[in-house]
Amino acid sequence: MPLAELFGPENFGQPAHGREAPLPRIAPTPSEKARALPMPPLDWTPEVEAATAQLYARVQNVIPPVEWPFMAPYVKAINELKRERDAVILAHNYQTPEIFHCVSDIVGDSLQLAIEATKVKASTIIQCGVHFMAETSKILSPEKRVLIPDSRAGCSLASSITGADIRLLREKFPGVPVVAYVNTSADVKAEVDICCTSSNAVQVVESLGADRVIMVPDQYLARYVASQTKVKIIAWKGACEVHERFTGDELRVYREADPSVKIIAHPECPPDVLAEADFTGSTAHMINWVKTRHPKRVVMITECSMADNVQAELPDVEMVRPCNLCPHMKRITLAKILDSLVYLREEVTVDPAIIAPARRSVERMINLKN
């Protein structure tokens, strides 16, 4: 079924809203200095080499030996300091291999990280992902300190819509339930009925028992959901700046070069891309598909660091990489993670007035029966 309607900021006569990113900070603030730990040495030594050898074995297929001496001192320092800080590191599938495989405690897609955030026992969460993910962890665990190594790590989807836009949509479509993709800010989550991820979007929409549903902010995910259900979808004109760049023509070139290649795509991609794919699914579902099917050659149509992370685990599967990097995910680095642990920066806060309603929409998603 095609989308019932598509709306964007221009329909309401107002510009798109986004969080203004704070200016980068080089020197620690006075409060950070007061609670700082000593910065550990970052030299490549035989001790560091021995301490990280097992970790390097996990990523040796995707990280050249010449690069590891620059990464290993950070890896060792982070793994030691997170224990001292009673911190746990949550990392999204789009993080680079040295983060994903060598310093993270919990990895996964947005749904997995949202669920695991509720189970974390540590007093501090370091979110290696983008800002809305850190906000979600804070919403679910308001008593915990949540840090993001770089608060400028945003999201084109999250910046495309605000809580005020949701209120205007409700005025235009009274009584129609609203579903928000988790790639949204806390104030949007506080205004909607339920959240969804790319892995459970169809299930969430159909769980509402309505013949029409408003779905924000990803127009392409909404189009995909509309093709999978009889529910009429009213969508928002947002898009992921990474997935939107892929084209069906690009994929046909790969197919013509090797008809045996398997193409798997994320539902944030445009419809012509999904039409060319052998499988469409969330990052977690894409990873599981490759692990289960074990294709000889595969093209992953999503942020390309995920292909590196899968390649590290499946060296015999050839990853053909049409590499679109997320500039926001790549703001998270080993050096910034170490700064987070040393200085306890940058702390994510959410207005207490919106935590409760935002939490309801997220927990309603998590508590859906499979």
Side-chain angles (χ1 to χ4, degrees):
M1 177 183 296
L3 291 181
E5 297 185 66
L6 179 65
F7 290 86
E10 66 275 12
N11 299 100
F12 299 143
Q14 58 188 41
H17 307 281
R19 180 184 300 105
E20 288 296 326
L23 293 174
R25 293 184 292 144
I26 305 301
T29 65
S31 63
E32 288 173 342
K33 286 181 179 179
R35 56 190 183 179
L37 294 173
M39 179 64 73
L42 296 171
D43 301 316
W44 172 245
T45 65
E47 179 190 5
V48 170
E49 183 177 13
T52 60
Q54 190 172 1
L55 293 171
Y56 183 60
R58 298 180 186 176
V59 294
Q60 60 185 347
N61 297 315
V62 292
I63 296 179
V66 69
E67 295 181 12
W68 187 244
F70 297 95
M71 298 177 179
Y74 286 95
V75 168
K76 179 176 182 292
I78 288 167
N79 286 328
E80 290 174 352
L81 279 182
K82 70 183 179 183
R83 290 189 289 271
E84 186 173 349
R85 284 293 199 188
D86 187 32
V88 63
I89 296 178
L90 276 57
H92 190 266
N93 291 325
Y94 294 161
Q95 290 297 294
T96 50
E98 68 275 11
I99 294 172
F100 187 88
H101 288 290
C102 299
V103 301
S104 301
D105 300 292
I106 299 169
V107 297
D109 64 6
S110 296
L111 178 58
Q112 290 169 307
L113 295 182
I115 292 171
E116 292 301 328
T118 68
K119 303 176 183 177
V120 167
K121 303 298 183 186
S123 60
T124 297
I125 295 172
I126 297 180
Q127 196 87 32
C128 293
V130 293
H131 197 277
F132 76 79
M133 297 178 185
E135 277 192 336
T136 303
S137 289
K138 185 66 177 179
I139 288 166
L140 295 172
S141 301
E143 76 285 358
K144 297 184 184 300
R145 176 190 290 125
V146 177
L147 307 175
I148 186 166
D150 191 330
S151 61
R152 298 171 301 162
C155 172
S156 59
L157 284 167
S159 66
S160 73
I161 193 166
T162 65
D165 294 323
I166 301 298
R167 291 191 291 274
L168 288 168
L169 282 168
R170 285 199 186 275
E171 289 178 13
K172 188 172 185 64
F173 301 101
V176 177
V178 184
V179 177
Y181 196 22
V182 291
N183 299 41
T184 47
S185 61
D187 70 314
V188 168
K189 291 180 172 73
E191 295 289 341
V192 303
D193 296 290
I194 189 169
C195 290
C196 76
T197 69
S198 56
S199 62
N200 66 10
V202 175
Q203 179 193 10
V204 167
V205 165
E206 293 186 340
S207 75
L208 297 170
D211 60 354
R212 288 194 306 168
V213 168
I214 299 168
M215 192 171 180
V216 300
D218 191 321
Q219 62 176 304
Y220 297 120
L221 178 61
R223 290 179 192 276
Y224 174 74
V225 170
S227 73
Q228 303 295 307
T229 182
K230 294 180 180 179
V231 178
K232 294 180 180 179
I233 305 296
I234 300 165
W236 186 258
K237 207 181 295 183
C240 167
E241 62 189 281
V242 173
H243 293 101
E244 191 177 34
R245 293 202 299 269
F246 293 107
T247 67
D249 288 341
E250 178 184 5
L251 302 195
R252 284 188 286 275
V253 171
Y254 289 111
R255 190 86 73 185
E256 290 167 5
D258 179 5
S260 70
V261 73
K262 298 300 180 183
I263 299 174
I264 60 177
H266 195 281
E268 290 178 17
C269 295
D272 66 321
V273 172
L274 302 188
E276 296 294 329
D278 297 296
F279 174 77
T280 297
S282 69
T283 57
H285 289 159
M286 293 170 78
I287 292 169
N288 291 337
W289 191 93
V290 175
K291 288 181 177 179
T292 302
R293 302 294 184 93
H294 225 82
K296 183 179 179 182
R297 300 183 79 227
V298 63
V299 183
M300 275 190 167
I301 306 302
T302 189
E303 212 274 355
C304 62
S305 285
M306 193 172 91
D308 291 333
N309 292 328
V310 175
Q311 183 83 81
E313 295 185 56
L314 301 172
D316 55 332
V317 175
E318 183 183 349
M319 296 289 174
V320 182
R321 293 175 174 83
C323 201
N324 285 346
L325 288 169
C326 173
H328 306 291
M329 286 285 183
K330 295 304 169 277
R331 289 186 182 277
I332 309 301
T333 64
L334 289 174
K336 290 176 182 177
I337 296 169
L338 182 59
D339 270 1
S340 282
L341 287 163
V342 169
Y343 298 112
L344 296 179
R345 65 160 56 151
E346 300 184 24
E347 187 160 1
V348 175
T349 60
V350 178
D351 185 345
I354 66 174
I355 282 183
R359 185 171 185 168
R360 280 195 296 272
S361 67
V362 176
E363 288 184 338
R364 187 176 179 189
M365 170 191 71
I366 291 173
N367 294 332
L368 268 184
K369 298 195 182 299
N370 296 323

